[in-house]
């Protein structure tokens, strides 16, 4: 699975405009689709407006309308990165629930009925307690950056999807300082 963390539309400049040389999400989605893959985007629900782009520096975020269009055009699926990107290891169970399980209705109402598959812990801030007593009650898996193989058989709860991170540059123009 190719997952796009926070589903950023494009890198933002100081004035909340598209940063020169930054590759916009539709271009990335088109390239992923050209290669025959279906992307999954991770969304912080408070970063996404209904119909307008939002700016949370250093990025611009698409609207729910954009995400729905990309779902139709490219097969984009979504999972949650929380309501506000709060660190789980610094919050009590009630706040952890609102940050994780509490986001699922927003995905449902916008046509993303499979968001329950994975919770993308913000800032890699998962805890075993949060996964087993909160997140595991509404998400099939919690994301963990780990150099492990994902297996189904024999794995006991709590369930984690182990991922490797690929970090790109801020833009794709070697002549610009953001490259």
């Amino acid at each position: 699975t190719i997952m796009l963390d926070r589903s950023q539309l494009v890198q933002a400049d100081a004035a909340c405009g598209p940063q020169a040389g930054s590759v916009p999400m539709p271009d990335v989605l088109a390239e992923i689709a050209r290669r025959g893959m279906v992307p999954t985007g991770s969304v912080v629900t408070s970063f996404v407006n209904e119909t307008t782009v939002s700016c949370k520096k250093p990025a611009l975020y698409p609207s729910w309308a954009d995400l729905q269009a990309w779902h139709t055009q490219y097969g984009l699926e979504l999972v949650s990165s929380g309501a506000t990107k709060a660190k789980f290891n610094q919050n009590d169970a009630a706040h952890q629930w609102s940050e994780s399980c509490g986001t699922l209705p927003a995905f449902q109402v916008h046509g993303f009925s499979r968001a329950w598959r994975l919770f993308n812990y913000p800032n890699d801030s998962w805890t075993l307690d949060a996964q087993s007593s909160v997140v595991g009650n509404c998400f099939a898996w919690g994301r963990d950056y780990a150099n492990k193989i994902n297996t189904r058989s024999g794995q006991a709860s709590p369930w984690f999807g182990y991922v490797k991170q690929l970090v790109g540059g801020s833009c794709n123009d070697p002549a610009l300082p953001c490259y």
Side-chain angles (χ1 to χ4, degrees), residues 53-138:
V53 170
S54 67
C55 182
K56 304 280 185 203
K57 292 181 185 174
L60 297 177
Y61 290 89
S63 67
W64 283 109
D66 294 326
L67 293 166
Q68 290 166 322
W70 299 335
H71 175 71
T72 301
Q73 185 173 2
Y74 302 109
L76 176 69
E77 291 292 344
L78 297 179
V79 296
S80 181
S81 268
T84 65
K85 206 167 186 296
K87 293 183 179 179
F88 266 64
N89 53 5
Q90 298 175 0
N91 291 295
D92 63 23
H95 192 202
Q96 290 173 349
W97 188 92
S98 67
E99 282 289 325
S100 59
C101 302
T103 65
L104 287 173
F107 290 93
Q108 285 282 346
V109 78
H110 291 99
F112 293 95
S113 61
R114 299 175 67 197
W116 58 267
R117 296 173 301 151
L118 177 82
F119 184 69
N120 189 33
Y121 281 96
N123 304 299
D124 203 29
S125 62
W126 62 270
T127 67
L128 287 174
D129 186 55
Q131 181 62 24
S132 59
S133 63
V134 179
V135 175
N137 292 312
C138 51

Side-chain angles (χ1 to χ4, degrees), residues 125-178:
S125 62
W126 62 270
T127 67
L128 287 174
D129 186 55
Q131 181 62 24
S132 59
S133 63
V134 179
V135 175
N137 292 312
C138 51
F139 289 89
W141 302 88
R143 192 257 316 129
D144 178 20
Y145 290 120
N147 194 20
K148 297 180 182 180
I149 295 173
N150 289 302
T151 62
R152 285 182 182 237
S153 62
Q155 185 181 10
S157 175
W159 291 285
F160 287 98
Y162 303 116
V163 302
K164 293 186 181 208
Q165 181 179 23
L166 302 172
V167 180
S170 297
C171 68
N172 194 30
D173 184 343
L176 296 173
C178 57

Side-chain angles (χ1 to χ4, degrees), residues 1-45:
T1 300
I2 301 293
M3 188 166 78
L4 309 166
D5 189 33
R6 289 177 279 139
S7 297
Q8 296 176 186
L9 174 61
V10 70
Q11 194 76 9
D13 62 20
C16 279
Q19 184 179 45
S22 184
V23 179
M25 175 86 113
D27 293 356
V28 173
L29 294 172
E31 182 59 27
I32 291 170
R34 187 185 72 74
R35 294 170 186 243
M37 296 183 284
V38 177
T40 297
S42 178
V43 169
V44 177
T45 57

